[in-house]
C-alpha cells in the first residue's frame, strides 16, 4: 500500500462549493451583476484571490486595490456565516469509512486544500482528529495546479512524494498531484477529471481492497 494519503477538502470531504457559490453570488449581486452555478464551476480548487479576479472579469468590473481587498473580506465574512452551522451530516458519502480504514492501518493522512478555512471546517464536521497534518491556503504561496500544496503535505507526513495518493475533485488539483508524481484519484465527473490515474464518482465506489492494492 502507498504510504501517505492526501485529501482535498471542498468537493472531496464536504460540499462547501454551494456555500462559496452563495457568498460569491451575494457579492456579484451587490456589484450589480449575475453569477450562475455554471460559472461557479470555474471556482473549484481555485484560490480566493483568483476567484475574485475571475468574478470581476465575468462582471466586467474594474477594482482599485482597496476595493479588491474589501470584497475579499466581505466574501469571506458571508461565507463564514453560511458555513456556521455545518455539521457531520455534510460529510460526503463513505468518506469516514476510508479515513477509518487508513487510520486503523496506521497510514499517515494529510489535508491538501486551497482553502484558508480548512481547519475550522474539519472541526465542524468532526473529522479533524483523522489528520496527521493540514496544508491549506495559509501555508502555500503557489496555487494548484502547482504541486506545492501536495509536496508540502508529503514532507510534513515524512513520506516520499511518489509514495503518496491524492484524492481531488478539481482539474487543477489533479494536475498538481500529477506534477508532484503522486497517484491521482479523481472524485467526480470522469470526463472532466480525465487526467486522473483513477476515477470514481464518489467514495461509495472505492473499496478498501482498492486502497490496499495501491
Ligand atoms: P477559502 P479545495 C477550495 O477548496 C475551493 O474549491 C475554492 O472554491 C475556494 O475558492 C478555495 O478553496 C479557497 O477557499 O476562500 O475558504 O480560502 O477544493 O482546495 O479544498
Ligand atoms: Mg476541491
Amino acid at each position: 500500500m502507498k504510504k501517505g494519503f492526501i485529501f482535498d477538502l471542498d468537493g472531496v470531504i464536504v460540499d462547501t462549493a454551494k456555500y462559496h457559490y452563495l457568498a460569491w453570488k451575494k457579492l456579484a449581486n451587490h456589484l450589480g451583476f449575475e453569477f450562475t452555478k455554471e460559472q461557479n464551476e470555474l471556482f473549484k480548487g481555485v484560490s480566493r484571490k483568483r476567484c475574485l479576479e475571475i468574478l470581476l472579469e465575468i462582471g466586467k468590473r474594474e477594482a482599485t486595490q482597496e476595493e479588491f481587498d474589501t470584497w475579499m473580506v466581505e466574501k469571506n465574512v458571508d461565507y463564514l456565516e453560511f458555513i456556521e452551522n455545518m455539521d457531520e451530516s455534510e460529510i460526503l458519502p463513505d468518506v469516514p469509512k476510508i479515513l477509518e480504514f487508513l487510520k486503523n492501518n496506521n497510514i499517515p493522512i494529510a489535508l491538501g486544500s486551497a482553502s484558508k478555512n480548512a481547519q475550522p471546517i474539519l472541526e465542524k464536521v468532526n473529522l479533524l482528529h483523522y489528520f496527521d497534518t493540514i496544508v491549506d491556503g495559509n501555508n502555500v504561496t503557489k496555487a494548484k495546479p502547482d504541486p506545492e500544496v501536495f509536496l508540502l503535505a508529503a514532507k510534513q507526513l515524512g513520506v516520499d512524494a511518489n509514495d503518496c495518493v491524492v484524492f481531488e475533485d478539481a482539474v487543477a488539483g489533479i494536475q498538481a498531484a500529477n506534477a508532484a508524481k503522486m497517484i491521482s484519484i479523481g472524485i467526480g465527473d470522469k470526463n472532466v477529471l480525465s487526467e486522473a490515474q483513477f476515477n470514481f464518482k464518489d467514495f461509495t465506489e472505492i473499496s478498501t481492497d482498492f486502497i490496499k492494492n495501491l
Side-chain angles (χ1 to χ4, degrees), residues 86-159:
M86 270 186 94
D87 62 21
E88 291 166 39
S89 66
E90 305 221 24
I91 300 171
L92 291 171
D94 275 3
V95 169
K97 176 189 84 177
I98 301 298
L99 289 171
E100 194 65 27
F101 174 78
L102 295 171
K103 208 72 194 159
N104 288 339
N105 285 279
N106 295 316
I107 303 291
I109 305 171
L111 191 86
S113 165
S115 175
K116 293 187 173 178
N117 298 300
Q119 181 141 341
I121 291 171
L122 287 178
E123 273 167 24
K124 281 178 198 296
V125 300
N126 202 16
L127 290 178
L128 185 61
H129 60 283
Y130 283 109
F131 292 85
D132 297 292
T133 190
I134 290 179
V135 181
D136 63 19
N138 298 299
N139 315 112
V140 294
T141 51
K142 293 175 228 133
K144 302 167 187 174
D146 189 282
E148 183 185 16
V149 60
F150 297 139
L151 291 173
L152 189 55
K155 194 174 168 204
Q156 291 188 4
L157 290 178
V159 176

Side-chain angles (χ1 to χ4, degrees), residues 8-12 45 144 168-170:
D8 173 53
L9 180 67
D10 175 33
V12 168
K144 302 167 187 174
E168 253 294 349
D169 72 311

Side-chain angles (χ1 to χ4, degrees), residues 9-21:
L9 180 67
D10 175 33
V12 168
I13 293 178
V14 285
D15 178 20
T16 37
K18 60 185 178 211
Y19 300 121
H20 281 296
Y21 171 64

